[in-house]
Amino acid sequence: MHRSALIPTLALIFCIHAASISQTSKKGISPKLAVTSKGKGSLEFKVDSVLKLMTLEEKIGQLNLLTSDLDQTGASMRPQYKEDIRKGKVGAIFNAYGVDYVRKLQKMAVEETRLKIPLLFGYDVIHGHKTIFPNPLAESCSWDLEAMEKSARIAAIEAASMGLDWTFAPMVDIARDPRWGRVMEGAGEDTYLGCLIAKARVTGFQGAKLSDPLSIMACAKHYAAYGAAQGGRDYNTVDISERSLRETYLPPFKAAADAGVATFMTSFNELNGIPATANKYLLDQILRKEWGYKGFVVTDYTAIMELLFHGYAADSVEAVKKSILAGADMDMQASMYDQRLPALVKKGAVPVSVIDESVRRVLLKKFELGLFANPYVRMDAEREKQNVFTTVNLTASREIAAKSMVLLKNDHNTLPLKLTAQKIALVGPLADAGRDMMGAWSAAGEWEKNVSLLKGMKGSFTSSQIEYKKGCEINDTVRSGFAEALTACSNSDVVVCALGEGAWQSGEAASRSDIRLPGVQEAFLAEVKKLGKPVVVVLFNGRPLDLTDVLPNADAILEAWYPGTMAGWAVSDVLAGVVNPSGKLTISFPRNVGQIPVYYNMKNTGRPFDANNKYSSKYLDVRNDPLFTFGFGLSYSTFLYSGPKLSTKSLGYKDTLRVTFTVKNTSTRDGEEIAQMYVQDMAGSVTRPVNELKGFQKVFIKAGETKTLVFKLTANDLRFYNEDMKFVAEKGLFTVKVGTCSDVTQSDEFELR
Ligand code: BGC
């Protein structure tokens, strides 16, 4: 449209705008922006009416996301970002929160720019905002979808109350390589479970509707296949088949899209030669065309510039052109759209219609969030005071943390510990750690508020004497602290040894080639064990560790992950038996790094493992199976499975198969069990994994009680990408297996006809 044609409309808008300011400044200003003479109601219409008023520079501004100076995850920072806001060159800001602060920035946008379009405020609200919840991998081990939705909801409430509209979460990358530090941010190795968790988290963050002042937009990241980085090295190349992409890595993104996730974030990696940020196949073909996705796509941090390092663009102009044409709507922090797009559009290399489409997507979300109705909708100082660190939030964090822990070993019922008087030696570098209890991606968390294990145990084991000695640091070679810690251990009835990784040792840019306990922790534990006392190891870490040398030196091992703000209370709840552990691993723990990749749903190969056959698929020096497999986790109760019984041995395409089995709590303690069902497709037009999770139920079973569980299966659940890449279920024989983990033997067979 010609500029002069806009002038009357703009004049009208400014009149309305000025009037609305004088009438009610608190209510906000921009709703009227959208009221054109036609006065139509739909958001799309409103978006278009705003778009019509915009200059090219203003449009491009909406596609520019910059960090504020509060904190940032990379080296690059644009010092003049405030000037850019005033000039209408910024559509969104991240790393700014707190009502006072964001209000000031918002005021610049809605009072000083020509069109007064409100900013969006984003942040990495990954596992809690102020009240920190267990890291996402930990939470996934609860298999408790309601709990995960709740923790995302609480995180959203805290974040929204502090001025945020948008979180860069959930990370829905399937991750099977424990060397990759970012496994701590996801939901583990399984696609089926990953889809359900993606949905739960999106629903939790976004609430019932985005316009709610306590809802924030979620962001499915990192699209796509970031978790498949070669060698587990962060940002590394990804080269996988179309089949693995579609079968393993994409479904959680599709599940997030189906759950209404407002935004997607591109990943840093290349996928089969094309960096994800400029990958038209991913962004346009799959996301927009196949899935019909309507939200907007933001790049990851400075990812557009990184196309140069990938060797996918000769210069920044080409990088920008390739990204926008591929479908990356918003530029995070590279400031490249801002600098290069105007010229590209002017010379016709990027059609203005492409820019318009991206701007539409961004504006639509701003409308849906209620920002045009009230740009300050999430900036209420009262809410900020009331909604953060509430007792309800802290209690939820404690409960979810306890549910997320996985009991890996418990010989001679070493756990739970007695509550009667005894001497407990609490040793190890994480026994009184504060900061490390939150793990990575907890930037707004206040680590001073974290409850250390020492504090939690002192509060929970009030009749016992607790002697704390550190013994060693997390990650150095100094052994001078061993002696006094060992003395404390020899004077005790039981030793609790808190070991693990520092918070900085997992998360982004935290890949490790050796995933054993760092420093001299293993050596320290070996010394402790020699004293002959019962030893309970509590692990704080973000990824599966190689525990091969820890296992023989511990009577009990509790994988506590990074439990969050209430860490010490939650771990003590489990140690004391107030909470009976029920978590199960969502990622396999290898026996050593050389075994990687190791995950439960591998293929059988043409020469399956056979201990007596040299020429079978195996290593000479380590077994094939992981040390702890997917789905594994003990309880203080014991459970006995019987069944399964199948309702039919011959399943039609329209029928439902009922798989019935019983689980008996054979102990004297009530407990929860996560009963799992796996399926193996015995022969297909392409080979299938030895096991695929197809259902689970988390059930509470009283001591001595038997519960009958029924799972349903239809042909739909048996689909996969066949030799023609069609997503179908093929006729033939299937085995159904039920049990307490992925290494199950109780099974029966049926035929799909
Ligand atoms: C990470 C993203 C994160 C972004 C913004 C990047 O380095 O890969 O996951 O959302 O920074 O902080």
Side-chain angles (χ1 to χ4, degrees):
M1 184 191 294
H2 199 268
R3 276 293 303 274
S4 60
L6 286 176
I7 291 170
T9 330
L10 266 177
L12 169 69
I13 293 217
F14 287 142
C15 285
I16 298 168
H17 190 51
S20 71
I21 295 171
S22 61
Q23 278 162 19
T24 158
S25 61
K26 224 189 157 188
K27 254 189 165 176
I29 43 184
S30 310
K32 314 281 179 177
L33 247 179
V35 183
T36 67
S37 50
K38 284 185 190 150
K40 296 268 167 53
S42 80
L43 287 190
E44 286 70 17
F45 184 86
K46 290 180 180 180
V47 165
D48 271 339
S49 66
V50 176
L51 192 72
K52 279 186 196 141
L53 307 179
M54 298 173 83
T55 63
L56 178 63
E57 282 68 23
E58 283 164 339
K59 288 177 184 174
I60 292 169
Q62 289 304 306
L63 310 182
N64 192 19
L65 166 63
L66 294 180
T67 178
S68 85
D69 37 12
L70 204 65
D71 49 50
Q72 72 223 49
T73 59
S76 127
M77 153 80 200
R78 195 168 155 82
Q80 68 273 37
Y81 78 97
K82 285 187 187 155
E83 269 324 295
D84 290 342
I85 295 177
R86 292 194 170 97
K87 288 186 195 145
K89 292 176 76 161
V90 185
I93 289 286
F94 68 120
N95 293 336
Y97 68 88
V99 164
D100 267 2
Y101 185 38
V102 292
R103 187 175 268 278
K104 278 185 199 131
L105 300 178
Q106 189 68 304
K107 216 163 171 251
M108 289 175 195
V110 296
E111 292 187 12
E112 297 184 45
T113 66
R114 191 180 76 95
L115 286 181
K116 306 174 181 357
I117 298 176
L119 293 168
L120 270 178
F121 290 94
Y123 198 68
D124 289 286
V125 182
I126 307 293
H127 51 118
H129 184 54
K130 283 288 171 187
T131 304
I132 301 299
F133 286 80
N135 62 287
L137 179 64
E139 272 194 356
S140 72
C141 293
S142 71
W143 299 52
D144 187 332
L145 301 171
E146 260 174 47
M148 284 179 260
E149 182 177 330
K150 183 171 170 185
S151 103
R153 186 87 286 273
I154 291 173
I157 290 172
E158 289 197 350
S161 302
M162 298 194 78
L164 292 167
D165 310 296
W166 183 19
T167 173
F168 305 135
M171 180 182 111
V172 301
D173 298 307
I174 294 299
R176 295 174 165 180
D177 192 327
R179 291 170 295 185
W180 192 48
R182 303 198 81 166
V183 296
M184 64 81 69
E185 293 172 52
E189 72 188 34
D190 183 59
T191 302
Y192 171 85
L193 187 57
C195 289
L196 296 173
I197 293 178
K199 180 178 177 202
R201 289 188 166 141
V202 169
T203 312
F205 285 129
Q206 297 195 163
K209 53 182 186 343
L210 284 183
S211 59
D212 187 319
L214 296 178
S215 285
I216 57 177
M217 297 195 294
C219 180
K221 73 183 188 187
H222 308 81
Y223 187 68
Y226 186 30
Q230 286 177 0
R233 200 180 77 208
D234 208 359
Y235 319 123
N236 206 4
T237 304
V238 173
D239 199 327
I240 55 173
S241 69
E242 176 77 7
R243 183 168 282 111
S244 318
L245 176 71
R246 288 191 181 261
E247 229 167 75
T248 303
Y249 294 94
L250 290 186
F253 286 98
K254 173 73 162 58
D258 290 346
V261 73
T263 65
F264 263 57
M265 185 188 291
T266 67
S267 53
F268 285 128
N269 55 283
E270 67 158 74
L271 174 65
N272 305 336
I274 317 279
T277 296
N279 196 313
K280 200 165 175 154
Y281 180 61
L282 280 177
L283 300 178
D284 191 53
Q285 174 58 32
I286 297 181
L287 183 62
R288 306 257 182 237
K289 299 210 167 86
E290 291 181 27
W291 299 353
Y293 182 66
K294 298 278 186 279
F296 73 81
V297 175
V298 64
T299 73
D300 204 345
Y301 201 99
T302 62
I304 295 178
M305 268 317 285
E306 292 169 22
L307 298 184
L308 275 67
F309 296 104
H310 277 290
Y312 189 64
D315 54 28
S316 56
V317 175
E318 195 183 3
V320 165
K321 184 177 162 191
K322 284 185 159 174
S323 306
I324 192 86
L325 291 181
D329 299 308
M330 187 182 274
D331 166 5
M332 184 197 287
Q333 196 54 20
S335 213
M336 280 291 108
Y337 278 3
D338 165 42
Q339 291 173 46
R340 302 286 180 238
L341 265 182
L344 278 166
V345 175
K346 277 170 200 152
K347 73 172 194 209
V350 172
V352 75
S353 59
V354 170
I355 309 290
D356 284 353
E357 209 35 53
S358 291
V359 176
R360 271 194 196 97
R361 291 175 187 137
V362 173
L363 292 179
L364 183 64
K365 292 303 158 199
K366 291 190 175 183
F367 271 105
E368 286 175 10
L369 281 161
L371 290 172
F372 278 99
N374 177 4
Y376 304 105
V377 62
R378 291 178 187 78
M379 299 172 197
D380 178 317
E382 266 319 294
R383 273 204 303 263
E384 182 173 49
K385 267 191 234 140
Q386 279 163 15
N387 288 348
V388 169
F389 281 131
T390 62
T391 313
V392 170
N393 299 1
L394 292 167
T395 308
S397 165
R398 177 174 178 167
E399 284 171 6
I400 295 170
K403 278 174 192 248
S404 304
M405 293 174 198
V406 185
L407 184 64
L408 296 176
K409 179 175 182 179
N410 195 19
D411 282 1
H412 331 293
N413 294 325
T414 307
L415 287 176
L417 299 177
K418 290 186 295 186
L419 284 170
T420 47
Q422 61 177 330
K423 281 195 208 155
I424 304 175
L426 176 59
V427 296
L430 284 132
D432 195 24
R435 169 70 190 90
D436 293 304
M437 293 299 100
M438 306 194 296
W441 291 116
S442 44
E446 295 177 24
W447 72 263
E448 302 81 353
K449 291 206 165 61
N450 292 354
V451 181
S452 73
L453 180 55
L454 176 61
K455 187 168 177 202
M457 286 190 69
K458 282 198 165 153
S460 302
F461 293 88
T462 44
S463 324
S464 294
Q465 221 179 298
I466 297 175
E467 188 175 5
Y468 161 65
K469 294 283 179 231
K470 198 171 196 179
C472 62
E473 296 297 331
I474 295 173
N475 195 38
D476 69 20
T477 52
V478 180
R479 293 172 186 233
S480 53
F482 281 21
E484 61 167 10
L486 293 173
T487 307
C489 295
S490 6
N491 294 335
S492 70
D493 299 311
V494 58
V495 179
V496 175
C497 196
L499 306 173
E501 297 180 304
W504 60 277
Q505 286 177 304
S506 61
E508 185 176 351
S511 295
R512 295 178 63 205
S513 69
D514 177 355
I515 54 168
R516 288 147 62 114
L517 285 172
V520 290
Q521 297 185 68
E522 278 185 8
F524 174 60
L525 177 66
E527 294 302 314
V528 170
K529 180 64 183 167
K530 283 183 196 159
L531 302 171
K533 306 284 177 180
V535 179
V536 176
V537 168
V538 178
L539 291 170
F540 297 101
N541 48 291
R543 55 150 60 74
L545 296 171
D546 164 357
L547 297 175
T548 297
D549 290 338
V550 171
L551 200 57
N553 290 331
D555 298 285
I557 303 179
L558 180 68
E559 175 53 83
W561 307 107
Y562 294 123
T565 310
M566 302 298 272
W569 294 126
V571 175
S572 302
D573 288 343
V574 175
L575 294 181
V578 176
V579 173
N580 188 350
S582 60
K584 304 255 191 185
L585 296 179
T586 55
I587 187 165
S588 305
F589 278 44
R591 292 175 189 274
N592 63 28
V593 162
Q595 234 194 356
I596 299 169
V598 60
Y599 48 90
Y600 86 93
N601 47 358
M602 298 189 92
K603 301 283 185 77
N604 210 27
T605 82
R607 295 188 174 195
F609 175 82
D610 176 352
N612 302 318
N613 178 0
K614 175 172 164 58
Y615 296 98
S616 65
S617 180
K618 62 175 191 262
Y619 298 100
L620 292 177
D621 53 356
V622 69
R623 293 162 53 154
N624 277 13
D625 58 340
L627 189 63
F628 297 111
T629 192
F630 176 86
F632 174 78
L634 302 170
S635 156
Y636 298 151
S637 312
T638 43
F639 301 101
L640 184 71
Y641 283 69
S642 63
K645 267 199 207 116
L646 308 189
S647 59
T648 174
K649 292 282 195 170
S650 168
L651 183 70
Y653 272 78
K654 297 214 167 111
D655 301 343
T656 299
L657 170 68
R658 289 158 58 88
V659 180
T660 307
F661 58 99
T662 61
V663 186
K664 179 171 187 191
N665 181 341
T666 49
S667 72
T668 52
R669 202 177 260 275
D670 300 348
E672 274 182 298
E673 166 70 343
I674 300 166
Q676 300 154 45
M677 175 178 71
Y678 297 86
V679 168
Q680 180 175 8
D681 185 341
M682 303 309 287
S685 66
V686 298
T687 61
R688 303 299 305 146
V690 289
N691 256 341
E692 287 181 279
L693 182 70
K694 291 291 178 188
F696 65 89
Q697 286 180 34
K698 188 164 186 172
V699 278
F700 174 79
I701 311 180
K702 287 205 154 106
E705 188 193 0
T706 300
K707 278 214 165 135
T708 301
L709 305 182
V710 182
F711 287 66
K712 289 180 182 160
L713 268 178
T714 67
N716 256 351
D717 304 313
L718 306 172
R719 288 180 299 170
F720 64 96
Y721 288 92
N722 72 2
E723 60 184 333
D724 304 320
M725 288 304 288
K726 300 234 160 62
F727 194 56
V728 295
E730 290 180 348
K731 289 180 178 158
L733 192 65
F734 291 80
T735 304
V736 187
K737 313 173 194 185
V738 296
T740 187
C741 70
S742 59
D743 190 9
V744 279
T745 47
Q746 283 171 253
S747 63
D748 202 351
E749 290 174 350
F750 72 92
E751 196 153 355
L752 181 66
R753 60 174 157 79

